[in-house]
């Protein structure tokens, strides 16, 4: 195949600089090659007339064009050097190819093809109702069709819905709880993506509003389902999408960093409202306070881009929680220019916890911990330091004088954060009468038991006794006929035994 100038320039630049771009050892297939300062920051379905506003707010990519992209839109994007992602089929006109986009496959600003959006949700049946989710084979066949046509190496991105984070989400219909389909869906993509909006569009009646940690959980699930072999993108809320609430500026920053800490490498903002009968595509632009907040998040993430795009060093840091897994703290560690960065987040809004972070180094590090953006420092004692997390607090740490050759390998990697990867949720509703739902999360596939006991230690019911895959699960407990009182339910998963109380009336 004949290489065009842009592809040749990339190859030369990549070999010269040996820059690792995107998540861990994954490379971009198209776009800003060799530029470690580039992180995709996208706006969904926006008007090209607003490019200047979005550029000023730190956006660098437009995603999706309703009814298909036009030559005029491409010209406007090129004039402003705005990257773009186009659906293989016209958005809003399914099964009709975007012929304009197919005439621009040599444009380096054209960084990816979009796929069928949210195939994991219940699909319209054509008669006003909904059927099952889409057959994964449809996605894989479409992916092969795209790659056969576009041989430039351009990426294909597949965006799934809220079920990625909460596999039992009601919008999945009869597919709720099915995890196997996600493994197959993402085989039909180069970039795995998903959306969940915990504040403005909670994914199920079981989910509590403001459970921001679902953003991170979705990214982690995608990483598990793709074996850590694909770049992971995630969507962010910034408007009152469905009239159910709007996130605060603090919450959107938390969601962004939670996704990055989980392994995400791109921000995809959903900047409009979808009220019944009222669609406002300029909802973000018309909200000065939120636009300023999004601009601030974009700027902060862009400033950290070289660090975020660098390889994650799983064994660099160990962490011990003050109060165990019940109020988890997630983190990731990077080394860039002989500096260790630890990005950490409290993962529950309802409580506080503390953590001791230890650098797994073969020598004492004579340095201090700078907490970026907070105007404070923490002493490093015996290569360890402690910090507190109030609710969903984000802390970004910087420790100079640390290189990879100083680290002790063989400590064991921590991608699952095992003290947090297995979680047993409070049943809902609680107290309950006749029936309740118990949710739990597994960090890896394992043989589990979920058993209910009374306060005398007598077994009341065995709800699960089988191998379950990694991810989120829910089980209904039929408690009809159960005497009123307090009961204990235990999740046994390998070496983990997690217990909670519930009350029947």
């Amino acid at each position: 195949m004949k290489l065009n100038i842009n592809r040749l320039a990339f190859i030369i630049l990549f070999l010269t600089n040996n820059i690792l771009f995107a998540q861990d050892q994954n490379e971009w297939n198209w776009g800003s090659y060799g530029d470690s300062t580039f992180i995709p920051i996208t706006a969904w379905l926006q008007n090209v007339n607003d490019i200047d506003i979005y550029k000023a707010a730190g956006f660098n990519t437009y995603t999706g064009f309703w009814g298909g992209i036009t030559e005029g839109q491409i010209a406007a994007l090129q004039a402003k050097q705005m990257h773009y992602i186009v659906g293989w089929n016209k958005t809003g006109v399914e099964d009709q190819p975007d012929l304009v986009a197919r005439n621009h496959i040599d444009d380096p600003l054209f960084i990816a093809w979009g796929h069928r959006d949210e195939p994991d949700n219940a699909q319209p049946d054509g008669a006003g109702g909904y059927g099952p989710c889409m057959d994964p084979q449809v996605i894989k066949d479409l992916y092969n069709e795209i790659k056969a046509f576009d041989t430039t190496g351009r990426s294909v991105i597949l965006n799934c819905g809220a079920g990625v984070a909460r596999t039992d989400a009601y919008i999945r219909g009869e597919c709720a709880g099915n995890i196997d389909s996600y493994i197959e869906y993402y085989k039909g993509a180069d970039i795995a993506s998903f959306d969940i909006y915990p504040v403005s569009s909670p994914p199920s009646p079981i989910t509590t509003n403001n459970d921001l940690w679902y953003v991170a959980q979705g990214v982690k699930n995608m990483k598990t389902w793709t074996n850590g072999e694909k770049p992971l993108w995630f969507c962010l809320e910034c408007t009152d999408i469905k009239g159910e609430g709007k996130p605060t500026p603090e919450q959107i920053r938390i969601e962004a960093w939670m996704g990055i800490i989980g392994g995400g490498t791109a921000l995809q903002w959903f900047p409009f409202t979808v009220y019944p009968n009222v669609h406002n595509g300029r909802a973000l632009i018309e909200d000065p306070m939120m636009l300023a907040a999004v601009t601030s998040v974009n700027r902060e993430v862009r400033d950290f881009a070289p660090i975020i795009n660098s390889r994650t060093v799983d064994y660099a840091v160990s962490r011990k929680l003050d109060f165990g897994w019940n109020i988890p703290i997630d983190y990731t560690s990077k080394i860039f220019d002989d500096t260790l960065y630890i990005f950490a987040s409290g993962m529950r809004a309802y409580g506080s916890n503390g953590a001791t972070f230890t650098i797994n180094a073969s020598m004492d590090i004579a340095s201090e911990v700078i907490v970026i953006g907070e105007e404070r420092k923490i002493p490093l004692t015996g290569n360890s330091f402690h910090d507190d997390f109030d609710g969903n607090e984000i802390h970004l740490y910087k420790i100079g004088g640390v290189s990879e050759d100083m680290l002790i390998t063989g400590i064991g990697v921590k991608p699952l954060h095992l003290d947090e990867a297995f979680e047993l949720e409070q049943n809902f509703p609680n107290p309950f009468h006749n029936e309740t739902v118990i949710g739990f999360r597994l960090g890896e596939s394992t043989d589990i038991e979920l058993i209910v006991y009374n306060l005398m230690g007598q077994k009341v019911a065995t709800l699960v006794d089988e191998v379950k895959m990694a991810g989120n699960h829910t089980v209904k407990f039929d408690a009809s006929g159960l005497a009123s009182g307090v009961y204990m339910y235990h999740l046994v998963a390998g070496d983990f035994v997690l217990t909670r109380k519930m009350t029947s009336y």
Side-chain angles (χ1 to χ4, degrees):
M1 180 182 68
K2 183 178 180 180
L3 293 174
N4 61 40
I5 297 301
N6 291 317
R7 292 286 286 167
L8 183 60
F10 157 63
I11 293 171
I12 295 171
L13 184 59
F14 181 82
L15 293 175
T16 301
N17 295 322
N18 193 26
I19 293 175
L20 185 64
F21 188 68
Q23 178 192 337
D24 296 343
Q25 295 182 353
N26 297 317
E27 302 170 10
W28 267 63
N29 290 327
W30 197 260
S32 295
Y33 287 117
D35 183 359
S36 66
T37 67
F38 183 83
I39 280 184
I41 301 177
T42 80
W44 277 86
L45 294 168
Q46 291 304 292
N47 195 311
V48 295
N49 293 333
D50 293 323
I51 285 181
D52 287 338
I53 298 174
Y54 281 105
K55 292 277 283 190
F59 289 80
N60 54 35
T61 306
Y62 265 41
T63 300
F65 298 84
W66 197 258
I69 200 167
T70 67
E71 293 289 355
Q73 289 172 325
I74 290 177
L77 293 160
Q78 291 173 334
K80 299 295 183 177
Q81 289 295 289
M82 177 71 78
H83 297 80
Y84 58 98
I85 297 169
V86 184
W88 179 248
N89 293 315
K90 293 181 179 180
T91 304
V93 192
E94 289 293 350
D95 300 320
Q96 289 193 21
D98 197 312
L99 299 178
V100 173
R102 298 185 195 198
N103 287 329
H104 289 270
I105 60 173
D106 289 327
D107 185 356
L109 293 173
F110 180 11
I111 61 176
W113 289 105
H115 228 326
R116 295 287 180 90
D117 191 43
E118 299 187 353
D120 55 321
N121 291 342
Q123 301 295 303
D125 61 10
Y130 289 87
C133 55
M134 191 174 293
D135 183 345
Q137 192 59 48
V138 174
I139 296 299
K140 291 187 283 188
D141 288 345
L142 188 55
Y143 172 77
N144 292 332
E145 178 185 338
I146 297 170
K147 301 300 278 190
F149 173 83
D150 188 344
T151 59
T152 61
R154 178 176 283 104
S155 296
V156 176
I157 180 172
L158 175 64
N159 187 72
C160 290
V164 171
R166 186 89 193 213
T167 58
D168 63 333
Y170 74 95
I171 55 176
R172 299 193 67 200
E174 63 186 67
C175 295
N178 185 323
I179 296 175
D180 293 344
S181 59
Y182 285 112
I183 297 172
E184 297 303 313
Y185 283 137
Y186 287 128
K187 289 178 181 177
D190 302 305
I191 299 171
S193 173
F194 92 108
D195 58 66
I196 192 169
Y197 308 119
V199 178
S200 57
S201 185
S204 100
I206 300 173
T207 303
T208 303
N209 279 356
N210 304 341
D211 277 341
L212 307 183
W213 61 271
Y214 278 120
V215 174
Q217 185 59 45
V219 176
K220 290 180 180 181
N221 285 347
M222 290 193 300
K223 186 172 184 178
T224 298
W225 298 332
T226 62
N227 294 317
E229 296 173 353
K230 298 180 189 290
L232 310 174
W233 293 17
F234 58 98
C235 298
L236 291 167
E237 57 190 336
C238 55
T239 60
D240 187 353
I241 297 174
K242 295 183 179 179
E244 299 183 32
K246 183 176 71 172
T248 65
E250 180 184 23
Q251 285 175 322
I252 65 170
R253 179 177 181 267
I254 290 168
E255 288 185 30
W257 276 107
M258 280 184 172
I260 291 169
I261 291 167
T265 54
L267 308 183
Q268 301 184 92
W269 295 98
F270 193 82
F272 55 92
T273 59
V274 191
Y275 288 106
N277 304 318
V278 180
H279 291 67
N280 182 7
R282 304 185 85 244
L284 173 60
I285 292 175
E286 294 171 358
D287 185 341
M289 182 179 73
M290 186 57 70
L291 181 60
V294 169
T295 302
S296 177
V297 172
N298 290 346
R299 181 185 304 114
E300 183 177 39
V301 170
R302 190 173 62 247
D303 289 345
F304 279 99
I307 296 103
I308 295 170
N309 284 331
S310 65
R311 187 170 66 88
T312 299
V313 187
D314 287 326
Y315 55 84
V317 177
S318 301
R319 178 229 45 230
K320 181 179 180 181
L321 300 178
D322 289 355
F323 306 117
W325 59 270
N326 197 40
I327 305 176
I329 295 170
D330 199 8
Y331 73 110
T332 190
S333 50
K334 307 270 189 174
I335 292 181
F336 183 79
D337 282 349
D338 288 339
T339 301
L340 173 64
Y341 293 86
I342 304 171
F343 303 148
S345 171
M347 299 301 286
R348 297 295 183 271
Y350 54 70
S352 301
N353 203 347
T356 298
F357 297 94
T358 300
I359 304 170
N360 299 319
S362 57
M363 61 189 75
D364 287 340
I365 297 170
S367 187
E368 59 187 353
V369 181
I370 298 173
V371 189
I372 302 170
E374 298 186 32
E375 297 184 353
R376 64 187 178 100
K377 298 178 180 179
I378 304 173
L380 190 62
T381 304
N383 290 349
S384 296
F385 69 95
H386 181 276
D387 206 2
D388 294 315
F389 291 76
D390 183 9
N392 288 140
E393 276 188 333
I394 302 289
H395 296 313
L396 311 176
Y397 306 108
K398 177 181 178 180
I399 305 164
V402 182
S403 59
E404 281 200 56
D405 58 11
M406 298 168 59
L407 300 177
I408 302 172
T409 59
I411 292 288
V413 298
K414 55 148 200 70
L416 294 176
H417 311 324
L418 289 178
D419 54 346
E420 299 169 13
F422 295 87
E423 180 170 353
L424 182 62
E425 298 178 359
Q426 187 63 55
N427 63 301
F428 179 88
N430 189 49
F432 65 95
H433 182 64
N434 290 336
E435 185 178 270
T436 190
V437 175
I438 297 172
F440 58 94
R441 184 171 79 247
L442 304 178
E444 60 187 27
S445 297
T446 187
D447 192 359
I448 71 162
E449 289 183 333
L450 182 59
I451 303 173
V452 179
Y453 295 90
N454 62 25
L455 292 182
M456 300 296 292
Q458 299 167 320
K459 184 185 296 186
V460 173
T462 298
L463 304 183
V464 182
D465 183 8
E466 62 181 342
V467 174
K468 289 285 189 180
M469 292 188 64
N472 295 302
H473 303 268
T474 57
V475 176
K476 287 184 179 179
F477 176 33
D478 181 1
S480 57
L482 193 68
S484 299
V486 177
Y487 294 83
M488 311 294 291
Y489 56 102
H490 295 248
L491 175 66
V492 181
D495 295 332
F496 291 87
V497 180
L498 311 177
T499 304
R500 281 186 179 272
K501 293 181 180 179
M502 58 183 175
T503 303
S504 172
Y505 65 90

